[in-house]
Amino acid sequence: MQVGEELWSKLNAAKFKLVEGVENDEVEWAKFTFQHDHPYRGSDVYCERFLKINQADADPFAESQLRAKTEKSMQTFRNANPRPPDQAIQYTMAQMYLEEFEKKKEKGPQGKKTQVKFEFPTPGDHWALALTRLYPLDKEARLEIVGKFDAASRSIDQQKGNLDSETLEYALQIIVSRWKFWSGHCFKDRDNAKAHEHLASCPGLLRIIPDSSIYIAVDNKNHLLVYLDPFAMKRAFDNEIKARVERDTEDFYSLKLPIRNESARTTSQTQNQVTNNFRDYECGVDHYGNWHATGQEYGPMVEARDSSSLPSTYRQLLLYYLESTGGTLTRLLDFQFGFLAPKLRAEYREVYRESPKFAKLPPTNGPKHEETYCLRAYLVNMATAEHGDKGDWKGGLAGIVQVGDFRGPGMVFRHLGIVLAGYQSGAAIQLRGTILDHYVGTWTGKSRYVFDHTTHEKERKTVRDRQQKALGVSKGDSHNKRKSDDDPHGATDDEKSKDDPATKGKGRRGVGVTKRKRAADTDAGGDDDALGSPMPDRSKKAKVEADAMDTEDVLSQTNVHAGQQPQSQPITQRAKRAARRGATRGK
């Protein structure tokens, strides 16, 4: 029996019990163990069913009190700890800019100060640090700062813009002039971190899910919400492969620095950098793959700028890294996707297959499997504030795996009232990111690398519209023939019985399915047939490079003879040779 078949059959047949301590009897739980002969044999699964949540509804959480309780607690905290006035934040930021400018002035050998140009860095960190200074102050102290802001504003008016570029008034004038843009694009919900800290400290509001078992959350129709395997890397490969991924990633980002993403500069991230002593250039977010550029929803599909703008040498290094180290992670998440939602995964593959060749990066899922994801977001040493993946495939699944030397609080799903403590190094998670808001707060350690795999809704619609145009079908007619956006598994009403694991195989295949599509559907549901022997039969001491693994046997990729020579070379050596070749050509 395949992993997916056993999983869903046991889940549908399980006898659920009410979770104690949850009001309104909203959550049931059941536990079972994989028994059949596949790599998950012997693994425990803890499942929770949320009885008042239905993904097909316009607001899936309208009937649930879990979200309402957390929002009420957070609003109470905000009322008791209101955000400081904008004028106080602006004045404090101006002070911080000036302080930073003064620190940059170094005394020369003769005691003279070196000339330093006054520049404004990106505002996110200064906003967060300004809040850190202002939050402990009482109302009177905040109003006193507002008074200083008013005095500085009068001074600006009196000087009529003729300001010394090294004064607080000059800094304040620039901040005020850019405030509307910054507050609308960079500062949204930055102070939510304080409310979340308060929420975590309130007993009974968030349940901590232990990290000893695979965790599955489903709605009242048994549609998947979250799937977490705390030991996914160890279960799929071994500790040597996990260590190789970490080393290669560290080497790669020592040669190619991550992109400093201002939209991710949250209060949590600023605290994270202070806690772990990270420099700015050690933290960032890279996007690789194809998408529509910001503000170009109806424009052409393009390759993400983080890869397309790289010089040729670094681009070759990136492609090698994505195929070797990144390919290992892609195959793991692709395997999970295959047994959790095979029909949906086939649709993801179709979108990648039909995307323009000039826009997409080469496949990384190996020569024997189709590519599934159009886009990857690689987060380096980041802490994320609460957010929903609103741009992702509507009702789709985002796959995330993380590695590194760190320890954190886990991933929080406030709408479900849970904290997944098992979301640590080596864990992999599949979630409905467009439905469930989530975040990971401040963590401690030396490094944290997060690999998010997804496809955007815009790309899905673009491919669908192109197919409709080629067939001469109007959008209104095709809507009833294609999947419904509200269906959590991405199927029409006629196809739901085929997608439902409990009724899989019943009913006939729809008319007009091409041979290629049938092959994709067959492959989507059959990956875990080719997984090889159970984990106890595999060598734990095998040392093999991540990109030399057999993609046919995804979970038995380390089943090689001990002492086998790696087929790929360390990323640093390849990078050095590529850099030398580039330098030689430039002479």
Side-chain angles (χ1 to χ4, degrees):
M1 180 179 285
Q2 297 178 6
V3 178
E5 291 179 355
E6 182 178 3
L7 172 66
W8 292 108
S9 63
K10 284 183 174 292
L11 188 147
N12 289 326
K15 295 181 179 180
F16 282 81
K17 304 176 183 178
L18 290 174
V19 175
E20 297 181 1
V22 178
E23 298 179 6
N24 304 318
D25 297 336
E26 286 199 37
V27 189
E28 296 178 328
W29 70 274
K31 195 171 185 177
F32 53 86
T33 303
F34 282 114
Q35 297 176 343
H36 288 269
D37 190 16
H38 51 63
Y40 281 76
R41 183 177 181 178
S43 301
D44 294 330
V45 179
Y46 176 72
C47 178
E48 289 190 337
R49 182 160 57 199
F50 292 80
L51 302 177
K52 301 294 180 66
I53 297 176
N54 186 350
Q55 296 180 53
D57 293 341
D59 182 359
F61 309 97
E63 302 297 326
S64 174
Q65 292 299 312
L66 297 173
R67 179 181 65 178
K69 285 179 59 178
T70 56
E71 288 181 346
K72 181 179 179 180
S73 176
M74 292 173 67
Q75 189 58 48
T76 301
F77 174 82
R78 292 191 185 100
N79 293 339
N81 301 270
R83 199 182 81 178
D86 286 354
Q87 296 90 337
I89 300 174
Q90 293 168 358
Y91 187 86
T92 305
M93 287 179 66
Q95 284 184 312
M96 296 172 64
Y97 280 134
L98 203 61
E99 292 170 3
E100 191 169 291
F101 174 66
E102 292 295 334
K103 289 180 181 179
K104 290 181 179 179
K105 289 185 175 181
E106 299 178 358
K107 291 185 177 181
Q110 298 179 355
K112 296 182 179 180
K113 290 187 177 181
T114 305
Q115 292 294 324
V116 179
K117 184 179 179 181
F118 189 93
E119 296 179 346
F120 279 84
T122 47
D125 287 345
H126 293 82
W127 160 275
L129 291 172
L131 289 178
T132 302
R133 290 189 183 186
L134 292 170
Y135 262 118
L137 303 180
D138 56 23
K139 184 177 180 179
E140 289 73 16
R142 295 179 181 182
L143 290 177
E144 182 179 346
I145 297 177
V146 172
K148 295 180 180 179
F149 171 88
D150 294 338
S153 298
R154 289 192 295 269
S155 176
I156 293 173
D157 293 338
Q158 292 173 359
Q159 298 184 52
K160 297 181 180 181
N162 298 320
L163 301 173
D164 186 342
S165 62
E166 299 183 10
T167 62
L168 184 139
E169 287 79 6
Y170 177 81
L172 188 61
Q173 183 184 44
I174 301 248
I175 292 172
V176 172
S177 67
R178 301 180 183 179
W179 186 256
K180 184 177 181 180
F181 173 80
W182 286 352
S183 61
H185 292 76
C186 301
F187 303 153
K188 186 177 181 180
D189 296 330
R190 293 301 165 90
D191 50 346
N192 267 355
K194 291 293 181 180
H196 289 143
E197 290 177 7
H198 163 74
L199 190 65
S201 65
C202 295
L205 285 179
L206 295 176
R207 294 181 298 114
I208 298 179
I209 306 298
D211 58 359
S212 57
S213 304
I214 294 173
Y215 176 79
I216 298 179
V218 296
D219 67 4
N220 56 12
K221 302 297 184 183
N222 275 4
H223 288 152
L224 181 70
L225 289 167
V226 180
Y227 171 89
L228 172 68
D229 186 349
F231 309 107
M233 288 291 291
K234 182 179 179 180
R235 198 188 310 278
F237 312 116
D238 59 17
N239 290 332
E240 173 62 23
I241 296 302
K242 178 176 176 290
R244 168 67 66 182
V245 170
E246 292 173 349
R247 289 197 299 270
D248 280 359
T249 302
E250 184 177 352
D251 288 344
F252 174 73
Y253 280 109
S254 67
L255 296 168
K256 186 269 172 198
L257 298 179
I259 303 298
R260 179 182 167 91
N261 191 327
E262 187 56 33
S263 64
R265 310 302 288 189
T266 62
T267 305
S268 297
Q269 174 58 18
T270 299
Q271 181 61 42
N272 172 59
Q273 291 188 209
V274 172
T275 301
N276 296 310
N277 196 30
F278 288 130
R279 297 181 176 89
D280 284 345
Y281 62 79
E282 296 176 308
C283 309
V285 182
D286 286 355
H287 294 87
Y288 304 127
N290 55 290
W291 61 2
H292 285 78
T294 303
Q296 301 293 325
E297 180 176 354
Y298 301 103
M301 196 183 301
V302 297
E303 181 183 334
R305 189 174 183 274
D306 293 353
S307 59
S308 63
S309 63
L310 288 176
S312 59
T313 299
Y314 285 97
R315 181 176 171 79
Q316 291 302 315
L317 176 65
L318 169 65
L319 295 178
Y320 171 75
Y321 171 74
L322 291 177
E323 182 181 357
S324 56
T325 306
T328 304
L329 307 174
T330 299
R331 290 190 286 274
L332 168 60
L333 295 173
D334 182 70
F335 165 74
Q336 292 181 344
F337 202 164
F339 71 73
L340 290 171
K343 174 71 176 181
L344 183 59
R345 186 183 71 165
E347 294 175 358
Y348 269 61
R349 289 181 169 185
E350 181 184 13
V351 170
Y352 177 85
R353 186 170 60 245
E354 299 299 329
S355 297
K357 291 184 178 180
F358 63 82
K360 59 188 178 184
L361 291 174
T364 63
N365 202 21
K368 299 182 181 180
H369 293 275
E370 285 195 76
E371 190 72 7
T372 300
Y373 304 98
C374 286
L375 185 66
R376 291 158 180 78
Y378 285 8
L379 285 71
V380 180
N381 298 328
M382 297 294 291
T384 54
E386 186 178 48
H387 67 285
D389 303 323
K390 304 307 180 185
D392 283 5
W393 186 301
K394 187 176 181 181
L397 281 175
I400 307 173
V401 62
Q402 62 174 356
V403 297
D405 182 4
F406 70 94
R407 186 68 184 174
M411 182 173 286
V412 182
F413 294 92
R414 185 170 56 83
H415 292 12
L416 302 179
I418 60 174
V419 179
L420 297 183
Y423 186 63
Q424 302 294 335
S425 180
I429 191 170
Q430 303 277 344
L431 68 149
R432 306 280 184 186
T434 58
I435 298 173
L436 293 170
D437 290 354
H438 51 281
Y439 67 93
V440 175
T442 304
W443 48 271
T444 57
K446 298 179 180 179
S447 62
R448 176 174 176 262
Y449 305 108
V450 180
F451 307 89
D452 187 349
H453 295 59
T454 186
T455 295
H456 277 180
E457 177 70 11
K458 294 177 183 178
E459 280 60 63
R460 172 195 180 189
K461 288 184 176 180
T462 297
V463 170
R464 182 194 300 182
D465 291 345
R466 185 181 296 121
Q467 292 173 335
Q468 293 168 2
K469 185 177 181 180
L471 295 174
V473 180
S474 66
K475 294 183 180 180
D477 293 338
S478 65
H479 179 76
N480 295 324
K481 298 179 182 179
R482 297 293 300 226
K483 52 191 174 295
S484 166
D485 285 344
D486 291 332
D487 183 74
H489 287 287
T492 63
D493 291 337
D494 294 335
E495 296 172 331
K496 285 182 181 178
S497 60
K498 293 190 302 178
D499 262 357
D500 188 349
T503 60
K504 188 176 180 181
K506 299 179 181 180
R508 65 185 185 89
R509 187 179 297 273
V511 178
V513 180
T514 64
K515 182 178 180 181
R516 190 174 189 180
K517 185 67 166 60
R518 288 174 181 168
D521 285 354
T522 302
D523 180 48
D527 272 4
D528 40 330
D529 258 344
L531 293 180
S533 58
M535 182 170 287
D537 296 335
R538 291 185 285 116
S539 172
K540 293 293 184 181
K541 297 181 179 180
K543 296 181 178 180
V544 60
E545 296 288 347
D547 62 335
M549 299 178 186
D550 179 9
T551 58
E552 182 67 20
D553 299 331
V554 181
L555 292 190
S556 54
Q557 294 174 12
T558 56
N559 189 13
V560 295
H561 298 292
Q564 178 178 344
Q565 293 299 319
Q567 298 180 19
S568 64
Q569 302 176 12
I571 192 169
T572 49
Q573 296 179 12
R574 289 178 65 92
K576 290 177 180 178
R577 285 199 298 274
R580 285 197 295 268
R581 286 197 298 270
T584 303
R585 294 191 187 102
K587 291 182 179 180

